[in-house]
Amino acid sequence: MKLRTTFGHTYVKRFYLARFISNFGNGMGPIALAFGILHLPHGSAKELGFVLGALTVAMLCMLPFGGVIADKYGRIRMCAFADIIAGAVLLVQVYFFYTGHVPIAALLFSNIGFGLMWGVFWPAFSGALPALLPEEELQQGNAINQFIANFALISGTAIGGYLISAYGSSTALLIDALTFIASGSLVISFRHLTPARKETGASIRSDMREGWRVFSSFPWIVITVAGFSFIVMIWAGAQDVLGPVIALRHFHGAKSWAVVITCESIGYVVGSLLGIRIKIKYPMRFLTAISLTLTGYLLVLSGPQPLAVICLGAFCWGITLDLWGALWGTAFQRTIPREALSRASAFDGMGTMLLRPVGLAIAAPLAGLVGITRTIELFAGISLLVIIALLLTPAVWKMELVPAFSENS
């Protein structure tokens, strides 16, 4: 299938441009926030974990409602509104970073507000590409989206590392906030493609119950999401909390950590290129097996090994993560009935991110008790056990992706 065909659909190029803009900011944001907090007079890994955990908890609380909101009021419209509002609340913490006085309340306000909007965006976004592309082009469309987003992440991370070192975190955080507003302003122009659902009289509780019924009716989805929740917990604790600390202690701080994250982002791009063409009959079996790259990444980070070796581990894990995005997204979109897609996707997001706050919360205290090396080694061991358990589960092992009709014709 030619790329020209996919790009030829109305509004697709505008959609991809919006994804590039917002992910350019995303490349800067996490590093800028991490080192911005760590460089505060009261900053620490515990405070960083607390703020990031609060963001994730807010997102988890909103997700079930976000799915209902997206299906009810229009998925693309809610993607746009979520981006614009998220950018606006992030401007609050930007202001305080520029003043040099950053109270914890300001960090919590901005990041909890961002988390709430993330809880709307995630399920709404699941229905965006299916509204722009025919089913037989979804895998390629998802992979192209991943590629563009990841190229933007690389650019944002590389430039962000320089900006943070040269000018501090405030400038990078400002750019991050503005990219969300710009992205939402682009997307809102084609909100009519996913119109608001006709009023059915169903309550929010009934809508959520229906979303859960659809989501839970596929065992391979439920089991994989439950297992991946542990993977996300481990990855978040190791990379988001302990990684910047390792960079400060053993390497050159933000510059070094930006190199690691950039290598992970390059892995995303490679994964995107693979995802455009790759055809996997048993995607869950394949994706679970290659998740062993996380175990390897954590082991080289725990040493820590030389920066080049850590970068290689991050690169391989990046390829894996992006293949998860392309193949899982396609399988989910083809499996779930279109009318319940956002509501079911809300439970996908909720389950996937459920344990992330735990990883963010326990990483620093556990490292204080047993050391950073032992903590990350423990995380690596847990990741290995989870991957083995998933591979031994028949529903995951036997899950087969049925090709779209046009691929058979």
Side-chain angles (χ1 to χ4, degrees):
M1 190 179 298
K2 294 182 178 180
L3 296 180
R4 186 180 302 173
T5 303
T6 298
F7 279 99
H9 293 285
T10 308
Y11 301 113
V12 165
K13 289 192 285 289
R14 199 180 304 179
F15 172 82
Y16 286 145
L17 176 60
R19 297 300 296 148
F20 178 88
I21 292 171
S22 64
N23 280 281
F24 181 82
N26 281 335
M28 297 184 180
I31 299 175
L33 182 62
F35 286 94
I37 290 176
L38 291 175
H39 287 140
L40 292 173
H42 53 79
S44 66
K46 289 183 181 179
E47 182 172 332
L48 174 60
F50 178 66
V51 170
L52 294 177
L55 184 158
T56 308
V57 169
M59 182 267 288
L60 289 171
C61 291
M62 178 56 77
L63 268 172
F65 302 98
V68 173
I69 291 168
D71 279 340
K72 185 172 184 177
Y73 296 108
R75 292 158 187 161
I76 292 176
R77 176 185 284 108
M78 298 318 300
C79 280
F81 286 169
D83 263 354
I84 292 169
I85 297 171
V89 298
L90 288 178
L91 288 173
V92 174
Q93 73 177 7
V94 171
Y95 166 78
F96 284 99
F97 271 106
Y98 268 113
T99 66
H101 173 65
V102 189
I104 188 68
L107 291 171
L108 290 175
F109 174 83
S110 288
N111 287 278
I112 289 174
F114 183 85
L116 293 173
M117 291 304 100
W118 190 10
V120 174
F121 181 88
W122 185 320
F125 182 75
S126 69
L129 268 178
L132 301 176
L133 297 173
E135 183 174 319
E136 65 272 13
E137 294 182 41
L138 276 178
Q139 179 173 328
Q140 179 164 281
N142 283 321
I144 293 171
N145 172 60
Q146 298 284 100
F147 176 82
I148 291 172
N150 295 331
F151 181 76
L153 280 172
I154 293 172
S155 305
T157 302
I159 294 173
Y162 166 76
L163 290 175
I164 295 164
S165 298
Y167 304 106
S169 293
S170 304
T171 301
L173 289 171
L174 174 61
I175 294 172
D176 182 32
L178 293 177
T179 59
F180 281 102
I181 296 172
S183 174
S185 300
L186 271 174
V187 171
I188 204 169
S189 64
F190 51 92
R191 62 190 180 279
H192 60 280
L193 295 180
T194 54
R197 190 181 66 193
K198 292 182 179 179
E199 188 57 52
T200 62
S203 65
I204 292 178
R205 181 180 297 180
S206 297
D207 278 337
M208 286 194 292
R209 189 182 298 120
E210 174 63 13
W212 171 253
R213 186 195 65 77
V214 173
F215 173 81
S216 61
S217 63
F218 300 96
W220 68 267
I221 292 179
V222 176
I223 294 168
T224 304
V225 167
F228 206 73
S229 185
F230 285 92
I231 297 295
V232 170
M233 176 189 76
I234 291 158
W235 174 42
Q239 180 168 285
D240 294 347
V241 177
L242 300 181
V245 177
I246 291 172
L248 281 173
R249 291 184 181 179
H250 299 279
F251 302 108
H252 298 98
K255 285 184 179 179
S256 297
W257 195 239
V259 171
V260 174
I261 302 302
T262 298
C263 288
E264 184 175 285
S265 300
I266 294 171
Y268 296 161
V269 172
V270 174
S272 302
L273 294 173
L274 292 173
I276 290 173
R277 295 295 181 186
I278 194 171
K279 304 295 181 185
I280 301 294
K281 185 176 182 180
Y282 298 100
M284 294 306 104
R285 183 188 305 183
F286 170 74
L287 291 171
T288 304
I290 65 172
S291 295
L292 288 169
T293 53
L294 175 62
T295 306
Y297 175 32
L298 295 178
L299 288 175
V300 298
L301 185 63
S302 67
Q305 297 298 315
L307 189 63
V309 178
I310 295 174
C311 287
L312 177 61
F315 170 76
C316 293
W317 172 235
I319 294 175
T320 299
L321 271 178
D322 204 85
L323 285 172
W324 266 102
L327 298 180
W328 172 267
T330 301
F332 196 88
Q333 290 162 354
R334 287 189 185 174
T335 301
I336 300 296
R338 190 66 56 88
E339 66 274 8
L341 189 55
S342 288
R343 281 169 287 168
S345 180
F347 288 102
D348 171 24
M350 189 175 179
T352 299
M353 305 298 285
L354 185 63
L355 296 180
R356 187 173 187 267
V358 177
L360 294 169
I362 67 173
L366 190 58
L369 288 174
V370 301
I372 291 178
T373 296
R374 292 288 176 266
T375 299
I376 300 181
E377 286 175 347
L378 175 62
F379 285 170
I382 294 172
S383 72
L384 179 60
L385 291 175
V386 170
I387 291 166
I388 291 173
L390 286 174
L391 288 174
L392 293 176
T393 305
V396 175
W397 183 260
K398 296 178 181 179
M399 184 270 162
E400 182 177 351
L401 182 62
V402 179
F405 177 76
S406 293
E407 293 173 351
N408 286 330
S409 57

